[in-house]
């Protein structure tokens, strides 16, 4: 076998783990781009150190060990990604002001296809989706880095305590203790109604709810939108720290500060295990539609409970494989790979 062939084979072998490793690093770091950087660093370290791989563990376990060390190094500064409601109190519409915070403040969105492998077991797929939803991701960010790793490896990836102990170079008792503390912290932070009850795949009622949402939003029909929002629904708009509660304030904002979004077009996306849309708003200067936000919707009991808009379009739309423009006659566009 030539060196070129061996290199190609090694690259292909490592590449098959990219999606699951990106999911792991994303859960650890809370950042789409830092997760992809971490996986790339993991691949480079693995490639350079393959001669040191002794085969005592599987290649997959070895890659996770490298990825964990990369993430722990990146988290050594103690940075914690957050949602607006983790940082400030809800603001009444009358006092709404758009105050941005730096990019590194925020929990970032992620396309499902970059972090969720396709397991044969539907139950595994459901757990994986739940583990990248925004509420769970935000809770993870409150855990110390090693507790975060233990919880993800044990609860999400279903590793044995002995496997996690070997990966982290610690004892089974230490792993079990860290898991217990992590579970307790997550239980304390859980808010009523925080879990988005989104079935996988979407059931017929949820599909109809989303169809009604698209019609209401594109038609800027606030009466119809109000019917779809839970009375305690939350709207967030990173990088702004403002967040609003309740259908009245949400629709009030949409028709005042958000008025330029009237006439928008919505393109379906899968984001953080949730249904979502890429929002393009009318571009009066150039015609057609300009990108404005990636929307992630949380649904529970037949209503929308969370309406989260990520506004940094120059970063998010390419990440989701979406064009940075829609022509006026284009009502739909397929999401890119």
């Amino acid at each position: 076998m030539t060196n070129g062939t061996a290199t190609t084979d090694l690259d292909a072998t490592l590449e098959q783990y990219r999606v699951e490793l990106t999911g792991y690093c994303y859960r650890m770091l809370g950042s789409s781009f830092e997760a992809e950087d971490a996986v790339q660093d993991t691949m480079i370290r693995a490639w350079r150190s393959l001669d040191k791989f002794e085969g005592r563990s599987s290649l997959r376990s070895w890659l996770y060990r490298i990825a964990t060390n990369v993430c722990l190094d990146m988290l050594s500064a103690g940075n914690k990604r957050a949602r607006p409601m983790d940082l400030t109190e809800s603001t009444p519409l009358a006092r709404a002001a758009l105050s941005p915070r730096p990019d590194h403040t925020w929990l970032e969105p992620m396309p499902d296809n970059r972090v969720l492998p396709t397991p044969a077991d539907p139950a595994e797929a459901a757990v994986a989706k739940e583990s990248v939803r925004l509420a769970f991701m935000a809770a993870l960010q409150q855990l110390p880095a090693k507790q975060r790793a233990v919880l993800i490896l044990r609860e999400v990836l279903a590793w044995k305590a002995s496997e996690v102990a070997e990966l982290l170079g610690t004892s089974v008792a230490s792993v079990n203790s860290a898991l217990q503390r992590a579970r307790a912290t997550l239980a304390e932070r859980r808010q009523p109604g925080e879990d988005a009850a989104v079935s996988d795949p979407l059931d017929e009622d949820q599909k109809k709810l989303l169809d009604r949402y698209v019609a209401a939003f594109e038609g800027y029909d606030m009466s119809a939108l109000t019917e779809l929002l839970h009375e305690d629904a939350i709207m967030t708009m990173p990088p702004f720290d403002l967040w609003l509660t309740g259908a009245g304030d949400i629709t009030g904002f949409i028709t005042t500060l958000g008025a330029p979004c009237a006439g928008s077009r919505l393109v379906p996306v899968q984001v953080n295990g949730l249904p979502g849309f890429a929002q393009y708003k009318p571009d009066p200067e150039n015609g057609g539609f300009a990108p404005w936000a990636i929307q992630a919707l949380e649904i529970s009991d037949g209503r929308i409970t969370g309406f989260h808009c990520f506004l940094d379009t120059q970063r998010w739309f390419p990440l989701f494989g979406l064009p940075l423009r829609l022509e006026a006659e284009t009502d739909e566009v397929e999401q890119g790979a």
Side-chain angles (χ1 to χ4, degrees):
M1 182 181 293
T2 66
N3 287 338
T5 302
T7 299
T8 301
D9 289 347
L10 175 58
D11 288 343
T13 299
L14 295 177
E15 194 64 27
Q16 67 181 318
Y17 296 102
R18 181 175 295 275
V19 172
E20 64 174 287
L21 286 172
T22 304
Y24 175 62
C25 293
Y26 176 59
R27 294 177 185 98
M28 285 289 292
L29 301 170
S31 164
S32 319
F33 296 103
E34 286 183 2
E36 295 198 333
D37 288 346
V39 173
Q40 195 59 29
D41 191 2
T42 297
M43 296 297 189
I44 292 170
R45 292 190 191 188
W47 202 91
R48 289 175 175 170
S49 307
L50 194 65
D51 58 331
K52 299 177 183 177
F53 176 56
E54 299 174 353
R56 288 181 296 184
S57 61
S58 69
L59 178 63
R60 180 173 181 257
S61 297
W62 183 62
L63 289 172
Y64 270 90
R65 180 180 296 114
I66 298 172
T68 300
N69 289 332
V70 170
C71 289
L72 292 177
D73 287 345
M74 293 175 73
L75 290 168
S76 60
N79 53 313
K80 296 179 180 180
R81 299 275 175 162
R83 302 170 299 171
M85 51 276 212
D86 300 320
L87 302 177
T88 64
E89 296 295 323
S90 177
T91 305
L93 178 61
R95 293 194 285 109
L98 298 177
S99 304
R101 296 202 187 192
D103 289 341
H104 62 74
T105 305
W106 303 114
L107 179 64
E108 296 179 349
M110 180 66 101
D112 286 3
N113 61 7
R114 288 183 179 255
V115 292
L116 298 177
T118 309
D121 183 354
E124 287 183 22
V127 169
K129 278 197 169 186
E130 289 171 8
S131 70
V132 293
R133 288 180 181 157
L134 296 170
F136 184 78
M137 288 287 299
L140 282 177
Q141 295 296 300
Q142 301 306 310
L143 299 176
K146 286 194 175 179
Q147 282 187 32
R148 202 180 305 178
V150 168
L151 184 85
I152 296 166
L153 291 166
R154 291 283 285 120
E155 301 270 279
V156 178
L157 301 177
W159 285 39
K160 297 176 181 177
S162 58
E163 295 172 327
V164 178
E166 183 180 355
L167 182 147
L168 293 175
T170 187
S171 66
V172 169
S174 177
V175 166
N176 288 336
S177 176
L179 179 60
Q180 186 175 8
R181 294 196 304 275
R183 285 172 172 167
T185 299
L186 262 58
E188 289 171 5
R189 288 186 51 81
R190 192 179 302 279
Q191 299 295 320
E194 189 171 60
D195 295 320
V198 182
S199 63
D200 182 32
L202 295 175
D203 62 34
E204 287 304 312
D205 287 342
Q206 290 169 344
K207 290 177 183 177
K208 289 176 182 177
L209 175 66
L210 293 177
D211 288 342
R212 292 171 63 197
Y213 168 75
V214 171
F217 193 92
E218 291 188 342
Y220 242 52
D221 183 342
M222 295 303 112
S223 295
L225 186 58
T226 297
E227 291 179 4
L228 305 178
L229 294 172
H230 190 277
E231 61 181 8
D232 296 323
I234 287 173
M235 179 180 182
T236 67
M237 293 164 286
F240 302 115
D241 58 15
L242 170 73
W243 62 284
L244 302 165
T245 305
D249 276 4
I250 291 172
T251 56
F253 179 90
I254 290 173
T255 53
T256 53
L257 290 175
C261 291
S264 289
R265 294 290 179 265
L266 299 180
V267 177
V269 295
Q270 295 297 316
V271 49
N272 286 83
L274 297 166
F277 297 93
Q279 177 193 345
Y280 292 82
K281 72 175 184 175
D283 184 349
E285 291 185 8
N286 303 304
F289 300 88
W292 182 245
I294 296 292
Q295 302 179 358
L297 303 185
E298 293 171 328
I299 299 171
S300 184
D301 297 328
R303 296 288 183 92
I304 294 169
T305 57
F307 175 51
H308 306 290
C309 302
F310 297 91
L311 303 182
D312 191 348
T313 56
Q314 295 298 317
R315 301 174 77 210
W316 306 135
F317 276 59
L319 181 71
F320 280 78
L322 293 159
L324 290 175
R325 178 174 183 75
L326 290 186
E327 298 305 326
E329 66 275 14
T330 302
D331 289 326
E332 297 182 357
V333 63
E334 288 189 9
Q335 183 186 358

